[in-house]
Amino acid sequence: MNIAVAQSGGPTAAINSSLCGVFDEAEKYNEIDRIYGSLNGIEGILNDNLIDLKEVLITENDKQLLKRTPSTVLGSCRFKLKNSSDDDSDYKRITQNFAKHNIKAFFYIGGNDSMDTVMKLDAYFRENHIDIKVVGVPKTIDNDLPLTDHTPGFGSAAKYVATTLQEIIRDSRVYSIPSVTIVEIMGRDAGWLTASSCVLRANGEPAPHLIYLPESDFSEEHYLEDVKRISERYKAVIVAVSEGIDCLASRSEATDAFGHKYLSGVGKYLEELTRDHIGCKVRSIELNVMQRCGSHIASLTDLDEAWRIGAAAVNEALKYGGSGVMMGFRRISNNPYRVGIAPLDVRECANKAKYFPKEWITPEGNNVTIDALNYFLPLIQGEPKIDYLNGIPVHFRLDQ
Amino acid sequence: MNIAVAQSGGPTAAINSSLCGVFDEAEKYNEIDRIYGSLNGIEGILNDNLIDLKEVLITENDKQLLKRTPSTVLGSCRFKLKNSSDDDSDYKRITQNFAKHNIKAFFYIGGNDSMDTVMKLDAYFRENHIDIKVVGVPKTIDNDLPLTDHTPGFGSAAKYVATTLQEIIRDSRVYSIPSVTIVEIMGRDAGWLTASSCVLRANGEPAPHLIYLPESDFSEEHYLEDVKRISERYKAVIVAVSEGIDCLASRSEATDAFGHKYLSGVGKYLEELTRDHIGCKVRSIELNVMQRCGSHIASLTDLDEAWRIGAAAVNEALKYGGSGVMMGFRRISNNPYRVGIAPLDVRECANKAKYFPKEWITPEGNNVTIDALNYFLPLIQGEPKIDYLNGIPVHFRLDQ
């Protein structure tokens, strides 16, 4: 028998480590012959676009490099399966291609949308008495998948954000004049990554002084009051803000005074608001895609866990016969930090989001509590050994 | 006798290493009692705002941390001395404060503007027979100081750009649809840092496929042709562009079709141009201040050289009696990479810029040659050992 694995959704620094986990664990099973990688997620299954991973991951070094390479080496997709009751043509093609290659288990590494695919495929196979296991492996820098304590990819993104934010803080403090620096962090619906910027407190850093999340109500008036109050104490005010806070800039229908659509993000919007009302030196910074692919400053804890959860998915399907599940983390303790891995019913995970807890947001809605800090801190620990060639981190590449 | 050191201009990852070089070397001189740090550049001398560096840099660990901490620990300024013939009041205050603290040598770590201060102060002291040595220590991520082979801070910025760009390249390639990613890199007048993105070629990476510098003529028409041609071969086109290329967005008087001033940068401008004329998925990314303060991915060569040139400045003033000079690098060989340090007449350096050589730009004006690669590569070699606490790099901090 053979198995297949695919990656989907937005890139992270840990998604290739999960792929390695699937690969390494599958190699231990004598009954598994080929380990297929599906190119561009489920599209690769639909289009019969598979590669034999044993032909590309040959040496131990290949795998070590791949673990430390950001983004999806197999490519990704944003493909949503139709309901099979409406149109089962894609399901039939998938089934045919799985049969053609004798694929008996499929591992899908992805976020909310990918878990929808896992759920639908598993349901279709069950209904039609097709014995193919489908197991989801979570990943998302948004950390917004339900039931799991956290998601692979998040810890590395949080470590990138903390490291970079600390450097921005140093940068912002050099001049003697007052300033406000607004750092826009990814998270359209869930504020986990923005909230994680609080970890700098563990090292005695008071910034970011203000943290705004989509989960709390945002008001321009309170924001400006907050900034004014903080600037009385700190020369260089640092604001961490989720791209998804509810304001003019995040509403797609919003237009400016001239009737033009807002093209810039929340950071730029707050920059202009601050400049107009406070008038000091203001800068906004978007961490952009760098925060999701910053492998050179990845969290070793995250990469290791990503590998482990990929490996656990293989055991779930092959050893325990599990299907229609997403593997998840359960936090056993914070000190020492320990997590267990267990299968979760994918129907409870797909198309649902886990928001940052309201009780971890301060009453003023402009910062997070110590509980948040304690939750985040274990996830960013440890640094992988990076191989450099010519002074540049070495990435594993399949093609150009 | 005492000495003073100050930092000026925009932050870099190496400017604190030069400060350590000055400090460490000065400590070896028995005749030097106090080593003053002037807060916010020359403003600290004017306002008598000095700290005794021996009281804050106490342990070897303090100095090791400071070397690896980005930005200017003493703060910075953008202060330009008037000509003493027009108004010598600031010169008198500086002289008084130097006399008050028995400061006999002043080391100014900075870029073009700071060298102007070195030049003017030295000239004033000579004219007035005041025996105070003034020595400039170069720093700028722009690499645009004349006569020196390169400047401290540049190598680390280049390493940050290469590392980050490579991660952006990985990120850009995940989807099956064609895309163009435009990365805007600092350099208002000189394209050195943008050009340095060519180092990825040393590791077989064909991207960035297009590199546009302020030193070559930019035309929208050629740009669009370039992108179209590259996109026939590469699914994910990567463009590296200097913030200072000559286009509508970089001209401060430019307005859009509605008569509004352009507020966004060159990257955003090219993004819209590309979307309007090519129509594929387009993203623009600004590396913003992160590229100048990315200590966690600093070049060890850069940090070591920054230390050495700071130390050499002390010897120049104390051992050789030099003044009115900027210390500079002379490249002895590329393979093995060797540089010497020598004093340069600051009058030849101040208020002048060194542009990226025209002969290192390809005839099409959209890339750089192998000579550029050979020049850049030695500057990004080596990685400093970073101390982590709670998963976050440890910075040396003077205050909050």
Side-chain angles (χ1 to χ4, degrees):
Chain A
M1 64 169 278
N2 301 319
I3 68 165
V5 55
Q7 300 169 306
S8 178
T12 80
I15 188 167
N16 286 331
S17 187
S18 285
L19 179 68
C20 285
V22 170
F23 182 83
D24 287 340
E25 200 66 17
E27 274 204 311
K28 296 179 190 161
Y29 284 81
N30 287 329
E31 62 265 43
I32 297 176
D33 184 17
R34 285 172 194 235
I35 304 165
Y36 286 111
S38 165
L39 298 181
N40 293 111
I42 193 72
E43 289 177 9
I45 306 289
L46 279 161
N47 304 327
D48 200 16
N49 203 356
L50 307 179
I51 60 169
D52 185 337
L53 285 176
K54 288 186 186 174
E55 285 179 7
V56 293
L57 294 174
I58 297 163
T59 66
E60 183 57 30
N61 191 46
D62 289 339
K63 292 188 280 182
Q64 287 304 323
L65 279 184
L66 180 56
K67 272 187 210 176
R68 280 137 186 73
T69 298
S71 194
T72 57
V73 71
L74 298 175
S76 181
C77 69
R78 294 271 186 206
F79 185 90
K80 193 150 181 162
L81 275 175
K82 297 184 190 79
N83 287 321
S84 61
S85 53
D86 296 335
D87 178 357
D88 65 355
S89 54
D90 282 341
Y91 294 83
K92 285 184 172 157
R93 272 171 72 194
I94 290 170
T95 307
Q96 279 164 11
N97 285 333
F98 277 157
K100 176 177 167 188
H101 297 288
N102 195 28
I103 290 165
K104 294 293 183 187
F106 176 56
F107 302 93
Y108 208 18
I109 313 170
N112 306 67
D113 291 346
S114 318
M115 294 312 138
D116 179 72
T117 301
V118 169
M119 177 180 73
K120 286 173 174 166
L121 272 184
D122 175 69
Y124 179 82
F125 291 152
R126 283 177 196 269
E127 278 165 28
N128 294 279
H129 309 291
I130 298 163
D131 184 24
I132 298 175
K133 311 294 184 199
V134 190
V135 176
V137 180
K139 75 84 218 165
T140 164
I141 64 157
D142 292 334
N143 200 39
D144 62 349
L145 281 167
L147 301 182
T148 182
D149 178 77
H150 58 281
T151 51
F154 173 71
S156 292
K159 191 176 182 107
Y160 174 91
V161 167
T163 301
T164 301
L165 195 58
Q166 187 182 219
E167 291 173 343
I168 292 170
I169 291 165
R170 287 287 88 67
D171 190 280
S172 73
R173 295 176 42 74
V174 301
Y175 296 115
S176 49
I177 55 169
S179 67
V180 176
T181 303
I182 297 148
V183 182
E184 181 186 319
I185 297 167
M186 279 181 169
R188 206 156 277 284
D189 302 306
W192 293 97
L193 191 55
T194 305
S196 77
S197 62
C198 74
V199 294
L200 292 175
R201 272 187 240 164
N203 289 6
E205 175 62 62
H209 308 97
L210 296 165
I211 298 177
Y212 298 102
L213 311 179
E215 287 86 349
S216 61
D217 295 330
F218 182 83
S219 109
E220 293 184 0
E221 195 189 331
H222 288 157
Y223 162 78
L224 290 167
E225 282 168 14
D226 288 345
V227 170
K228 276 180 203 155
R229 198 184 60 254
I230 299 291
S231 65
E232 284 165 18
R233 177 150 175 213
Y234 296 100
K235 189 182 66 178
V237 179
I238 305 283
V239 178
V241 61
S242 278
E243 61 176 337
I245 60 161
D246 181 33
C247 70
L248 210 58
S250 62
R251 289 180 214 124
S252 59
E253 76 282 8
T255 53
D256 68 10
F258 304 95
H260 307 138
K261 258 197 164 185
Y262 267 108
L263 288 175
S264 51
V266 159
K268 213 72 186 163
Y269 168 75
L270 290 185
E271 177 186 329
E272 286 166 28
L273 185 73
T274 312
R275 192 175 290 119
D276 288 350
H277 289 83
I278 299 185
C280 63
K281 179 179 155 80
V282 191
R283 187 192 287 273
S284 70
I285 297 169
E286 231 185 304
L287 297 188
N288 217 309
V289 300
M290 291 85 88
Q291 65 201 292
R292 69 184 188 191
C293 61
S295 279
H296 71 279
I297 186 75
S299 156
L300 184 60
T301 298
D302 184 35
L303 295 190
D304 285 348
E305 287 183 347
W307 185 95
R308 279 176 58 201
I309 204 164
V314 172
N315 291 329
E316 176 61 23
L318 276 283
K319 200 175 280 177
Y320 307 115
S323 184
V325 294
M326 177 187 92
M327 306 309 292
F329 292 122
R330 189 169 53 84
R331 193 177 301 215
I332 298 160
S333 65
N334 253 344
N335 197 3
Y337 172 65
R338 285 175 60 219
V339 285
I341 297 175
L344 305 165
D345 188 334
V346 74
R347 292 169 298 185
E348 303 294 318
C349 308
N351 307 311
K352 295 193 176 86
K354 184 182 71 174
Y355 298 105
F356 187 79
K358 292 258 188 210
E359 59 272 26
W360 288 0
I361 301 175
T362 56
E364 301 76 20
N366 60 16
N367 218 318
V368 299
T369 68
I370 186 83
D371 294 320
L373 175 65
N374 291 334
Y375 168 84
F376 289 126
L377 217 44
L379 309 181
I380 64 165
Q381 300 307 307
E383 296 77 41
K385 197 196 149 294
I386 306 289
D387 287 331
Y388 287 85
L389 179 66
N390 290 311
I392 305 158
V394 182
H395 286 175
F396 180 87
R397 289 179 292 176
L398 266 188
D399 62 344
Q400 291 313 331
Chain B
M1 64 168 279
N2 302 319
I3 68 165
V5 56
Q7 300 170 307
S8 178
T12 80
I15 188 167
N16 286 332
S17 187
S18 285
L19 179 69
C20 285
V22 169
F23 182 84
D24 287 340
E25 201 66 17
E27 274 204 311
K28 295 179 190 162
Y29 284 82
N30 287 329
E31 62 265 44
I32 297 176
D33 184 17
R34 283 172 195 236
I35 304 165
Y36 286 111
S38 165
L39 298 181
N40 292 112
I42 192 72
E43 289 177 8
I45 306 289
L46 279 161
N47 304 327
D48 200 16
N49 203 356
L50 307 179
I51 60 169
D52 185 337
L53 285 176
K54 288 186 186 175
E55 285 179 7
V56 293
L57 294 174
I58 297 163
T59 66
E60 184 57 30
N61 191 47
D62 289 339
K63 292 188 280 181
Q64 288 303 323
L65 278 184
L66 180 56
K67 273 187 209 175
R68 280 136 186 73
T69 298
S71 194
T72 57
V73 71
L74 298 175
S76 181
C77 69
R78 295 272 187 204
F79 185 91
K80 193 149 181 162
L81 274 175
K82 298 185 190 79
N83 287 321
S84 61
S85 54
D86 296 335
D87 178 357
D88 65 355
S89 55
D90 282 342
Y91 294 83
K92 285 184 173 158
R93 272 172 72 195
I94 290 170
T95 307
Q96 279 164 11
N97 285 333
F98 277 158
K100 176 177 166 188
H101 297 289
N102 195 29
I103 290 165
K104 294 293 185 186
F106 176 56
F107 302 93
Y108 208 18
I109 313 170
N112 306 67
D113 291 346
S114 318
M115 295 312 139
D116 180 72
T117 301
V118 169
M119 177 180 72
K120 286 173 174 164
L121 272 184
D122 175 68
Y124 179 82
F125 291 152
R126 282 177 197 269
E127 278 165 27
N128 295 279
H129 309 290
I130 298 164
D131 184 24
I132 298 175
K133 311 295 184 199
V134 189
V135 175
V137 180
K139 76 83 218 166
T140 164
I141 64 157
D142 292 334
N143 200 39
D144 62 348
L145 281 167
L147 301 182
T148 182
D149 178 76
H150 58 281
T151 51
F154 173 70
S156 292
K159 191 176 181 110
Y160 175 91
V161 167
T163 301
T164 301
L165 195 58
Q166 188 182 218
E167 291 173 344
I168 292 170
I169 291 165
R170 287 287 89 67
D171 190 281
S172 73
R173 295 176 43 73
V174 301
Y175 296 115
S176 49
I177 55 169
S179 67
V180 176
T181 303
I182 297 148
V183 182
E184 181 186 319
I185 297 167
M186 280 182 169
R188 206 156 277 283
D189 303 306
W192 294 98
L193 191 56
T194 305
S196 76
S197 61
C198 74
V199 294
L200 291 175
R201 271 187 241 164
N203 289 6
E205 175 62 62
H209 308 97
L210 296 165
I211 298 177
Y212 298 102
L213 311 179
E215 286 87 349
S216 61
D217 295 329
F218 183 83
S219 108
E220 292 185 359
E221 196 189 330
H222 288 157
Y223 163 78
L224 290 167
E225 282 168 14
D226 288 345
V227 170
K228 276 180 203 155
R229 199 185 58 254
I230 298 290
S231 65
E232 284 165 17
R233 178 150 174 212
Y234 296 100
K235 189 182 66 177
V237 179
I238 305 283
V239 178
V241 62
S242 278
E243 61 177 336
I245 60 160
D246 182 33
C247 70
L248 211 57
S250 61
R251 290 181 215 123
S252 59
E253 77 282 7
T255 52
D256 68 10
F258 304 95
H260 306 138
K261 258 198 164 183
Y262 266 108
L263 289 176
S264 51
V266 159
K268 213 72 186 163
Y269 168 74
L270 290 185
E271 177 186 330
E272 286 166 29
L273 186 73
T274 312
R275 192 175 290 119
D276 288 350
H277 288 83
I278 298 185
C280 63
K281 178 179 155 80
V282 191
R283 187 192 287 272
S284 70
I285 297 169
E286 232 185 303
L287 297 189
N288 217 309
V289 301
M290 291 84 89
Q291 65 201 292
R292 69 185 187 191
C293 61
S295 278
H296 72 279
I297 186 76
S299 155
L300 184 60
T301 298
D302 184 34
L303 295 190
D304 285 348
E305 287 183 347
W307 186 95
R308 279 176 59 202
I309 204 165
V314 172
N315 292 328
E316 176 61 22
L318 276 283
K319 200 175 280 176
Y320 307 115
S323 185
V325 294
M326 178 187 92
M327 306 309 293
F329 292 122
R330 190 169 53 84
R331 194 177 301 215
I332 298 161
S333 65
N334 252 343
N335 197 3
Y337 172 66
R338 285 175 60 219
V339 284
I341 297 175
L344 305 164
D345 188 334
V346 74
R347 292 170 299 184
E348 304 294 319
C349 308
N351 307 311
K352 295 192 176 87
K354 184 182 72 173
Y355 298 105
F356 188 78
K358 292 259 188 209
E359 60 271 26
W360 288 0
I361 301 175
T362 56
E364 301 77 19
N366 60 16
N367 218 318
V368 300
T369 68
I370 186 83
D371 294 320
L373 175 65
N374 291 333
Y375 168 85
F376 289 126
L377 217 44
L379 309 181
I380 64 166
Q381 300 307 307
E383 296 76 42
K385 197 196 148 294
I386 306 288
D387 287 332
Y388 288 85
L389 178 66
N390 290 311
I392 305 158
V394 182
H395 286 175
F396 180 87
R397 288 179 293 176
L398 266 188
D399 62 345
Q400 291 312 332

